[in-house]
Amino acid sequence: GTSICGASAIVAADSVVQAESEESAVSLGVITLWGTVGIFVLPLLGQALSMTQFAYGVWAGASLQEMAQVVAGGAAMGDEASKVATVVKLARICLLAPVVFYLVWWMKSKHKSVGEAKVSPVPWFLVVFVVFAALNSLGPSVGLTKPVVDWLVKVDTLALSIGMAGVGLKTSVKDLKSAGWKPVVAGLAAWVFITLFSIATIKLAGI
């Protein structure tokens, strides 16, 4: 959930490892909690570090958990940051199917019970993104007038709002409380690690 794409990755991995429902619920709660914190913390840190929108976009896309959180966290620094963050996040989403199928192989090699991997080998997030990016780029040549583009932007905002609401509806403070502090701290440690590792990589790459 922390390294790939939040709830979608947790659900896909859960179809293989067959965790208890309470455990997957806690996982969803933990990544939602720290991803939401990140929406507010990362822009403040980005400004404090005087990061360019491009560099910040790479950082947000590489370290926030959910796609909706990435878009929101990126937009806090500007349009360019949001666009870059989205592309970087999509690159992470492409890892979902390979990682889940590897998880199947690994568990079978350990002679453990394995469920059926419920994950599409095609990253549909990426496919839809490419289609709409192409339509937006081609614009009038494919019949996209400004009113149509404005309407699509409104639909995009609505879809993002629904996505954020969906993430919230999967989160239960009760589940987190009943699980104790260890999973919450583990989730924080994982997020802090990926956040520091990604910004260190950005600095080393000279972005």
Side-chain angles (χ1 to χ4, degrees), residues 102-118:
Y102 169 78
L103 188 58
V104 172
W105 172 85
W106 181 82
M107 291 192 67
K108 285 183 177 179
S109 70
K110 298 294 183 181
H111 307 291
K112 294 182 178 180
S113 176
V114 180
E116 182 180 354
K118 296 180 181 178

Side-chain angles (χ1 to χ4, degrees), residues 15-101:
S15 67
V16 174
V17 302
Q18 299 176 302
E20 297 293 335
S21 59
E22 295 82 4
E23 294 173 332
S24 57
V26 168
S27 299
L28 291 168
V30 168
I31 62 99
T32 302
L33 170 64
W34 295 124
T36 302
V37 169
I39 292 175
F40 299 99
V41 171
L42 256 62
L44 295 175
L45 292 176
Q47 291 174 354
L49 295 171
S50 300
M51 298 179 74
T52 64
Q53 286 204 32
F54 184 86
Y56 174 81
V58 174
W59 189 34
S63 57
L64 289 174
Q65 289 90 330
E66 291 277 359
M67 173 58 85
Q69 294 164 352
V70 167
V71 175
M77 285 286 280
D79 290 340
E80 181 185 358
S82 181
K83 292 173 183 176
V84 173
T86 300
V87 174
V88 173
K89 179 62 174 177
L90 288 171
R92 290 168 64 191
I93 291 174
C94 287
L95 296 171
L96 178 56
V99 168
V100 171
F101 289 131

